[in-house]
Amino acid sequence: MTEISHDRLLIIDFGSQVTQLIARRLREANIYCEIHPYQVVTDSFLQTFGPRAVILSGGPASVFAENAPHPPKAVFSMGVPVLGICYGQQIMMHMLGGQVDRGQGTAEFGRAYVTQADGDLPLLDGWFDDGPEQVWMSHGDHVSRIAPGFQVYGTSPNAPFAIIADPARNFFATQFHPEVHHTPNGARLYENFVRLAGFTGDWTMGAYREEAIEKIRAQVGDGKVICALSGGVDSSVAAVLIHEAIGDQLTCVFVDHGLMRKDEAAEVTTMFREHYNLPLIHADESELFLTALESISDPEQKRKIIGRLFIEVFEKHAAAIGGADFLAQGTLYPDVIESVSFSGGPSVTIKSHHNVGGLPERMNMALVEPLRELFKDEVRALGRELGLPAHFIGRHPFPGPGLAIRCPCEITRPKLDILREADAVYIDQIRKHGLYDQIWQAFVAILPVRTVGVMGDGRTYDYACALRAVTSVDGMTADFYPFSHEFLGETATRIINEVPGINRVTYDITSKPPGTIEWE
Ligand code: XMP
């Protein structure tokens, strides 16, 4: 639980795939909320948390299951508004004296249209103005009798209890998911809910910045903080915010593994040193990393070597400045949400992700994580608030192992140089055509094959490369970007003409799954 002085809303998670979206909708309305799995929400948790309102999420369970997940009874006696979504509606009815039936033959998935029933409800301001509302259903069981005190306010052909409420107690429930995109007017429903719960919408980035600065000062005192700055949005925003709070008590280390893109190291060091006046060590360790990676082809081995050396190098530079009391990290809220697992089994490791995750255990330092409450788009908003340049905040993600995983098979310095040049031309093309912000991530991979070509009157025998560009919401799934043939043709011509060493350009049209975004 996070210490925060704003009114807070508690989302009790029963394991729906879309619980995070509820938090997003609320944050967009400037409401502070936290998601906690139902297992941790006890009576004493509720008392300490002190929510101004509670939302019960959806989830895959059935109220008929043995030990069916449920909130503590106190949720319904605290005198705060409660909103139940899908499974949240069913468990609410089950606990308050209604009835739920098993889903045999009545399961419903996908789009439905809800029509207004019985009278007005403040929760539904702005709903039904133009007739029935499109919603998204996804449920097996369903409510068959509502609890005493409840009335029906919306129905759909298959859901007679699509929207129900007990206005006297401020209890509301929907069978559908208002948080998803396919319920186009769903955000309005959340806005109405928080308004009637008395939230003032004071969770703004300006307020967040001031509070975060106070909190960092209180935590750090006159201690020293060290931060691994990668040049990515998260670590950059964290560093600038911490620097604003404690000035030169912060030292940043930029570990340059020689696997950065063209001019990247210079851009990062110039911006942070000159523009932000931030104490920054540029640890140019490219020799160390590239030597260790020589003749390594296996993707996992590459990742492990880079991860290990990163920690060693960081420790060395931390020791050189006489150590530090705190380690700063750009951890985000999605990284700290404990998710509810119903499968319980370990998931398969597709790739060992490299980030600074291993550092805290090794270095035994207290953590300063000023972005722990934020989603990625909120970090970007905070970055803008702190004056970071727009082109920097909107940058595509770049993986910790850098170009190593865009150079399948053996990494050589000449191949890296060719890759950097090709990548720079490709990104320049994307920017020139105004496509950069429509794409989640775009890069070139250099392929471990050489192919025959003809340029002028001569034969060439050079590398082939693959262009990659994907759209995605969170990097978990992705689609290839549908460039026009003209764009692809022009880009291939430019790369072949401007980058010696490449004579063939291909476009990767694999989505994720079955592919991954990076090539290794
Ligand atoms: P994949 O290739 O797994 O990538 O589909 C998903 C997203 O994660 C990024 N990525 C990484 N980021 N350390 C990182 O910080 C890593 O080791 C790493 N590997 C992949 C990738 O660029 C994409 O945005």
Side-chain angles (χ1 to χ4, degrees):
M1 198 178 309
T2 309
E3 258 184 56
I4 198 120
S5 59
H6 294 269
D7 284 335
R8 19 159 119 223
L9 187 148
L10 172 64
I11 301 168
I12 304 183
D13 184 19
F14 294 102
S16 159
Q17 299 288 325
V18 290
T19 303
Q20 277 205 25
L21 291 180
I22 303 177
R24 303 288 299 255
R25 296 289 95 86
L26 294 168
R27 294 283 182 93
E28 280 159 19
N30 296 335
I31 304 302
Y32 185 78
C33 61
E34 288 183 23
I35 301 173
H36 289 277
Y38 70 90
Q39 296 97 325
V40 307
V41 182
T42 56
D43 287 354
S44 66
F45 178 100
L46 281 175
Q47 250 187 355
T48 320
F49 191 96
R52 183 177 263 280
V54 175
I55 293 179
L56 310 175
S57 88
S62 165
V63 298
F64 300 107
E66 213 179 308
N67 298 326
H70 59 84
K73 283 204 187 88
V75 161
F76 302 111
S77 56
M78 292 190 308
V80 303
V82 181
L83 172 63
I85 308 292
C86 195
Y87 178 78
Q89 181 196 50
Q90 293 160 18
I91 197 67
M92 202 166 166
M93 289 302 99
H94 192 69
M95 292 175 72
L96 294 176
Q99 191 174 328
V100 178
D101 277 355
R102 284 181 200 277
Q104 286 141 352
T106 56
E108 196 184 8
F109 299 93
R111 186 173 294 130
Y113 290 88
V114 174
T115 312
Q116 188 167 21
D118 284 357
D120 286 337
L121 186 70
L123 183 79
L124 298 173
D125 279 358
W127 264 54
F128 304 121
D129 290 351
D130 303 314
E133 292 278 351
Q134 182 189 313
V135 302
W136 190 66
M137 298 278 187
S138 176
H139 62 96
D141 299 342
H142 63 275
V143 173
S144 55
R145 195 186 68 233
I146 50 178
F150 278 78
Q151 273 192 69
V152 180
Y153 289 89
T155 61
S156 77
N158 287 319
F161 304 116
I163 305 170
I164 56 175
D166 175 347
R169 288 187 287 176
N170 269 337
F171 292 167
F172 308 92
T174 65
Q175 188 155 1
F176 56 88
H177 289 266
E179 61 277 17
V180 303
H181 183 66
H182 306 292
T183 302
N185 206 8
R188 183 67 190 263
L189 207 142
Y190 285 112
E191 283 162 25
N192 292 337
F193 178 66
V194 295
R195 188 170 36 81
L196 65 86
F199 283 90
T200 53
D202 58 356
W203 170 253
T204 61
M205 269 313 136
Y208 183 83
R209 173 187 184 172
E210 297 307 318
E211 282 169 28
I213 287 173
E214 286 312 311
K215 275 203 284 182
I216 295 165
R217 286 184 184 146
Q219 183 191 3
V220 171
D222 54 10
K224 271 170 41 177
V225 182
I226 191 162
C227 174
L229 183 72
S230 68
V233 177
D234 306 340
S235 66
S236 302
V237 172
V240 172
L241 182 67
I242 296 170
H243 188 242
E244 198 165 296
I246 58 166
D248 292 358
Q249 285 166 257
L250 170 74
T251 305
C252 290
V253 180
F254 172 61
V255 176
D256 183 352
H257 46 26
L259 300 159
M260 296 291 170
R261 289 164 293 190
K262 189 177 177 186
D263 300 332
E264 188 159 24
E267 273 169 24
V268 170
T269 47
T270 310
M271 178 161 102
F272 286 99
R273 277 204 195 119
E274 284 165 26
H275 191 66
Y276 284 100
N277 217 0
L278 205 143
L280 175 70
I281 297 170
H282 177 188
D284 183 355
E285 300 281 357
S286 42
E287 273 310 308
L288 177 76
F289 281 82
L290 296 182
T291 307
L293 288 167
E294 251 164 43
S295 77
I296 305 293
S297 291
D298 179 70
E300 276 301 288
Q301 241 186 313
K302 284 183 188 173
R303 285 172 171 275
K304 297 238 157 76
I305 290 170
I306 295 168
R308 174 176 56 78
L309 288 180
F310 185 92
I311 291 180
E312 283 175 24
V313 164
F314 189 77
E315 279 179 328
K316 183 178 87 181
H317 287 277
I321 58 160
D325 311 290
F326 297 91
L327 177 69
Q329 290 203 141
T331 316
L332 304 192
Y333 190 47
D335 307 327
V336 298
I337 299 174
E338 279 177 77
S339 50
V340 176
S341 164
F342 281 89
S343 61
S347 55
V348 178
T349 302
I350 308 289
K351 301 177 182 189
S352 320
H353 270 220
H354 155 69
N355 46 39
V356 290
L359 277 173
E361 298 80 43
R362 277 280 297 253
M363 299 190 70
N364 196 21
M365 290 194 282
L367 291 177
V368 181
E369 298 179 300
L371 311 181
R372 266 179 83 87
E373 290 98 28
L374 304 184
F375 286 102
K376 187 85 177 183
D377 48 353
E378 293 174 317
V379 173
R380 295 206 164 103
L382 180 58
R384 283 191 287 276
E385 179 75 33
L386 290 164
L388 277 155
H391 77 270
F392 192 83
I393 286 167
R395 281 192 347 161
H396 292 167
F398 185 63
L403 299 183
I405 56 175
R406 297 176 178 176
C407 190
C409 292
E410 205 173 325
I411 300 166
T412 64
R413 286 160 224 242
K415 269 185 0 191
L416 287 175
D417 288 338
I418 295 172
L419 176 54
R420 275 188 197 99
E421 292 302 322
D423 193 74
V425 174
Y426 181 41
I427 298 299
D428 182 55
Q429 275 286 103
I430 289 176
R431 285 201 188 275
K432 277 198 175 128
H433 284 255
L435 301 174
Y436 191 86
D437 293 338
Q438 296 171 32
I439 293 171
W440 163 268
Q441 211 169 353
F443 57 87
V444 175
I446 183 162
L447 305 187
V449 285
R450 296 211 277 170
T451 70
V452 174
V454 52
M455 276 178 100
D457 291 327
R459 175 186 193 267
T460 58
Y461 186 54
D462 285 331
Y463 284 108
C465 73
L467 311 181
R468 183 86 165 126
V470 295
T471 54
S472 176
V473 180
D474 52 13
M476 304 295 285
T477 58
D479 258 332
F480 74 88
Y481 186 79
F483 285 125
S484 67
H485 287 193
E486 291 71 27
F487 173 88
L488 288 170
E490 190 184 303
T491 306
T493 306
R494 270 196 66 191
I495 290 177
I496 291 167
N497 285 343
E498 295 175 33
V499 184
I502 290 197
N503 69 353
R504 192 173 296 267
V505 176
T506 65
Y507 186 49
D508 179 357
I509 54 167
T510 322
S511 56
K512 172 183 179 177
T516 56
I517 294 176
E518 303 290 345
W519 272 51
E520 288 190 337

